């Protein structure tokens, strides 16, 4: 089914046509690993995971190459090292691992490639030398700066006007810049900062350069899709575009650009600098990863998403309703292709609200069926959800989900055992009493051919 995506650069939805159907390439700017990812960062990871899944579905699992970088050189990392007394390596390795684990818990598949900026400094130096040779960059006061005047199309992606940028002070003003919009490709490092030798002295690369270089090194000169959060359009992606085009004789960096909208707390963007963050790592202690994923995909990815506790509660309730049906086929491995209605919605620029409506409809249909048709309908529902990264939990486990103030599992099991003994000795009064006692705590007992089992309401 053909995929249509909204291309931020073209400012319209376009039919997606990869340059090579046997090797579809996508790159998403990944985390700077100096602390925990917040749920806004997780939105970007989950949205592009869904895109990756759809591309795999369309072109085959072995025909999509997805690179998501790890930014492991950055002033925030240096600061974290100074503050905690840990080495840069300790910090970046620790938080890269936590990031992978937390995103994995949200059903995010590992990208094909996870290049680290520190592994590509030599290529960054080479790119900068090339830009200097082409007069698109200049050395000033130990820094190398990209000259924005060298690229006519600067601003085309974000639509940000040059004068507006400067007036809004959205670019760093520094005395050594020829033009205020020029950005740093290389900066000097003091002795206690990490640094690499270069023709301009010991220093380190600026942030924007790593993505241009890793795309070229890992995926090729021009990739199919470049993604990231909306905040990266300017200056980060604008700068990636400019330096890649200038280094590569005008060849565009990516054929399609995609950006996810902000996750908000009230009317503000969630961000570390505002201090209004909710960490994915913390949420995962209280909520199943699929609940968080469901909440993150509940709005269309280009729309803002307001994060509330109520959203999580609703998401849990909705998933419970699916899992109640999935419970009936826990042990069936019937695998059908996901239904067209869901694939169609997702192929339309990842229209998750419509895909959710499709899932609810499939659930209603399955719920009204009986016998073999019911089993088949539930299996179809399961495959539809799995396409989006849901319904991977065991239904029996799902309803035993962690709930800190709920009755302990060991206590429930002991009561179930007592109830079974009571029934065997025909003490039905006691058996009923136990059933009522558990029901009062939201525990439903279900008697089946293999004995009694339980689930939370
Ligand atoms: P950062 O670590 O800030 O560079 O962000 C990593 C990714 O998360 C980038 O793609 C950002 O655009 C994205 N991001 C950051 N904050 C938010 C937010 N509040 N909502 C959605 N995406 C975000
Ligand atoms: Zn980037």
């Amino acid at each position: 089914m053909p995929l249509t995506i909204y291309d931020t650069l073209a400012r319209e939805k376009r039919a997606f046509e990869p340059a090579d159907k046997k090797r579809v390439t996508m790159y998403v700017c990944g985390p700077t690993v100096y602390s925990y990812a917040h749920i806004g960062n997780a939105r970007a990871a989950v949205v592009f995971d869904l895109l990756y899944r759809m591309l795999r579905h369309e072109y085959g699992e072995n025909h999509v190459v997805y690179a998501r970088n790890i930014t492991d050189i950055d002033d925030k990392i240096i600061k974290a090292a100074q503050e905690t007394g840990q080495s840069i390596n300790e910090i970046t390795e620790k938080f890269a691992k936590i990031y992978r684990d937390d995103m994995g818990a949200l059903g995010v598949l590992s990208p094909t490639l996870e290049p680290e900026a520190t592994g590509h400094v030599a290529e960054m130096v080479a790119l900068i030398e090339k830009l200097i040779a082409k007069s698109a960059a200049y050395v000033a006061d130990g820094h190398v700066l990209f000259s924005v005047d060298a690229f006519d199309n600067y601003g085309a992606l974000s639509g940000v006007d040059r004068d507006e940028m400067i007036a809004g002070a959205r670019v760093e003003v520094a005395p050594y810049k020829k033009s205020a919009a020029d950005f740093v490709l290389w900066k000097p490092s003091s002795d206690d900062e990490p640094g690499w030798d270069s023709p301009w002295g010991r220093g380190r690369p600026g942030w924007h350069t790593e993505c241009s270089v890793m795309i070229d090194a890992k995926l090729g000169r021009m990739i199919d899709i470049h993604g990231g959060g909306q905040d990266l359009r300017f200056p980060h992606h604008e700068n990636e575009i400019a330096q890649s085009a200038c280094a590569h004789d005008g060849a565009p960096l990516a054929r399609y650009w995609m950006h996810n909208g902000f996750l908000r707390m009230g009317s503000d963007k969630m961000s570390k600098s505002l201090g209004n963050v909710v960490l994915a790592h913390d949420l995962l202690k209280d909520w199943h990863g699929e609940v968080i994923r469901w909440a993150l995909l509940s709005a269309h990815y280009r729309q803002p998403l307001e994060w509330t506790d109520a959203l999580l509660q609703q998401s849990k309730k909705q998933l419970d309703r699916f899992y109640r049906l999935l419970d009936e086929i826990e042990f069936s491995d019937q695998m059908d292709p996901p239904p067209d209605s869901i694939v169609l919605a997702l192929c339309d620029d990842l229209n998750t609200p419509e895909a959710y409506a499709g899932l609810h409809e499939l659930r209603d249909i399955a719920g009204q069926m009986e016998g073999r048709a019911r089993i088949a309908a539930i299996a179809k529902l399961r495959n539809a959800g799995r396409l989006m990264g849901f319904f991977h939990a065991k239904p029996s486990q799902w309803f035993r989900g962690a709930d800190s103030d709920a009755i302990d599992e060991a206590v429930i099991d002991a009561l179930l055992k007592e109830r079974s003994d009571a029934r065997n000795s025909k003490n039905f009064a006691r058996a009923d009493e136990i059933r009522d006692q558990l029901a009062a705590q939201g525990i439903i007992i279900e008697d089946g051919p293999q004995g009694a089992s339980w689930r939370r309401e």
Side-chain angles (χ1 to χ4, degrees):
M1 219 166 277
L3 188 66
T4 308
I5 57 187
Y6 183 87
D7 177 0
T8 318
L9 185 58
R11 291 177 173 66
E12 63 180 11
K13 270 196 204 175
R14 292 172 58 208
F16 176 66
E17 280 165 27
D20 176 0
K21 287 191 165 67
K22 297 259 176 259
R23 190 172 180 273
V24 181
T25 49
M26 67 180 270
Y27 182 92
V28 172
C29 302
T32 305
V33 281
Y34 67 102
S35 79
Y36 294 92
H38 62 66
I39 195 70
N41 301 139
R43 185 181 193 195
V46 167
V47 160
F48 289 103
D49 175 69
L50 182 62
L51 175 70
Y52 179 43
R53 286 170 184 265
M54 291 313 295
L55 292 172
R56 283 158 58 105
H57 178 76
E58 291 302 301
Y59 297 96
E61 291 193 0
N62 297 322
H63 299 300
V64 185
V65 192
Y66 172 21
R68 187 186 64 202
N69 70 304
I70 300 268
T71 298
D72 58 353
I73 328 174
D74 186 271
D75 289 359
K76 287 180 234 145
I77 302 173
I78 299 176
K79 193 160 163 253
Q82 283 161 353
E83 280 169 8
T84 61
Q86 286 176 301
S87 72
I88 302 243
N89 266 350
E90 277 170 334
I91 291 178
T92 55
E93 271 170 28
K94 174 181 164 190
F95 286 108
K97 176 171 186 329
I98 292 174
Y99 183 79
R100 289 190 192 105
D101 290 350
D102 289 346
M103 295 309 114
L106 300 181
V108 173
L109 301 173
S110 301
T112 330
L113 302 163
E114 274 188 292
E116 293 169 351
T118 48
H120 294 270
V121 177
E123 291 125 294
M124 293 190 229
V125 169
L127 177 92
I128 298 169
E129 285 184 301
K130 214 184 231 180
L131 290 171
I132 295 174
K134 294 187 184 230
S135 304
Y138 56 94
V139 184
D141 204 12
H143 293 68
V144 184
L145 291 130
F146 182 87
S147 174
V148 163
D149 285 333
F151 186 59
D152 284 344
N153 256 338
Y154 194 78
L157 178 73
S158 57
V160 176
D161 177 80
R162 285 271 299 279
D163 295 335
E164 214 178 282
M165 274 178 232
I166 297 162
R170 292 176 64 190
V171 291
E172 198 189 338
V173 181
Y176 47 80
K177 286 186 181 182
K178 285 187 190 160
S179 161
D182 293 351
F183 58 90
V184 171
L185 298 168
W186 188 265
K187 61 175 147 191
S189 289
S190 60
D191 289 344
D192 57 348
E193 287 172 338
W196 288 260
D197 290 328
S198 82
W200 321 287
R202 188 175 168 277
R204 58 190 190 277
W207 169 38
H208 313 299
T209 317
E210 68 180 78
C211 292
S212 285
V213 159
M214 290 191 279
I215 288 171
D216 199 36
K218 296 291 181 186
L219 298 177
R221 191 120 302 181
M222 187 173 16
I223 54 170
D224 289 313
I225 303 175
H226 193 317
Q230 189 185 310
D231 52 339
L232 299 187
R233 282 182 315 160
F234 178 83
H236 184 53
H237 289 164
E238 208 73 81
N239 294 355
E240 280 186 34
I241 289 174
Q243 67 203 359
S244 288
C246 287
H248 302 146
D249 301 319
L253 180 59
R255 303 171 64 246
Y256 298 80
W257 284 86
M258 290 176 78
H259 293 94
N260 64 274
F262 289 140
L263 183 137
R264 290 186 189 157
M265 286 292 259
S267 55
D268 295 323
K269 173 197 170 194
M270 180 179 288
S271 78
K272 283 182 193 137
S273 56
L274 288 175
N276 59 354
V277 298
V278 177
L279 304 180
H281 195 75
D282 288 340
L283 281 176
L284 281 163
K285 291 176 191 155
D286 294 330
W287 300 93
H288 193 286
E290 285 192 11
V291 172
I292 303 170
R293 184 179 177 94
W294 187 273
L296 286 172
L297 293 176
S298 62
H300 188 268
Y301 78 93
R302 284 191 280 121
Q303 297 299 319
L305 172 67
E306 189 163 337
W307 194 255
T308 60
D309 225 40
L311 174 65
L312 280 164
Q313 277 152 11
Q314 275 164 21
S315 300
K316 168 80 167 75
K317 267 203 189 125
Q318 294 191 18
L319 282 168
D320 281 350
R321 292 177 68 193
F322 289 108
Y323 270 103
R324 228 156 264 150
L325 276 184
L326 298 175
D327 201 11
E328 296 178 28
I329 60 155
E330 172 153 350
F331 302 103
S332 128
D333 51 9
Q334 189 170 336
M335 285 302 283
D336 294 320
D340 285 353
S341 58
I342 308 285
V343 178
L344 205 66
L346 295 172
C347 280
D348 177 15
D349 194 33
L350 306 179
N351 192 339
T352 51
E354 203 169 304
Y356 279 16
L359 289 177
H360 288 303
E361 204 176 306
L362 286 173
R363 189 200 57 225
D364 291 344
I365 293 169
Q368 287 158 15
M369 298 210 164
E370 284 177 30
R372 289 169 69 96
R374 183 179 178 92
I375 302 299
I378 302 174
K380 197 166 160 183
L381 170 68
R382 180 169 63 185
N383 296 335
R386 286 192 175 173
L387 176 67
M388 302 179 72
F390 298 116
F391 306 163
H392 286 287
K394 275 198 170 139
S396 52
Q397 294 287 317
W398 179 266
F399 288 108
R400 293 176 176 212
D403 190 346
S404 47
D405 39 45
I407 176 166
D408 191 75
E409 280 187 24
V411 176
I412 303 173
D413 288 338
L415 284 167
L416 273 195
K417 166 94 179 47
E418 195 192 329
R419 175 172 169 269
S420 154
D421 292 346
R423 279 162 63 120
N424 287 341
S425 55
K426 307 227 176 318
N427 183 355
F428 296 111
R430 176 65 188 143
D432 288 348
E433 199 177 87
I434 293 172
R435 173 185 286 274
D436 293 345
Q437 181 190 343
L438 286 172
Q441 305 203 51
I443 305 297
I444 310 293
I445 297 178
E446 280 164 347
D447 291 305
Q450 272 107 41
S453 60
W454 61 269
R455 61 178 171 82
R456 294 190 199 274
E457 208 168 25

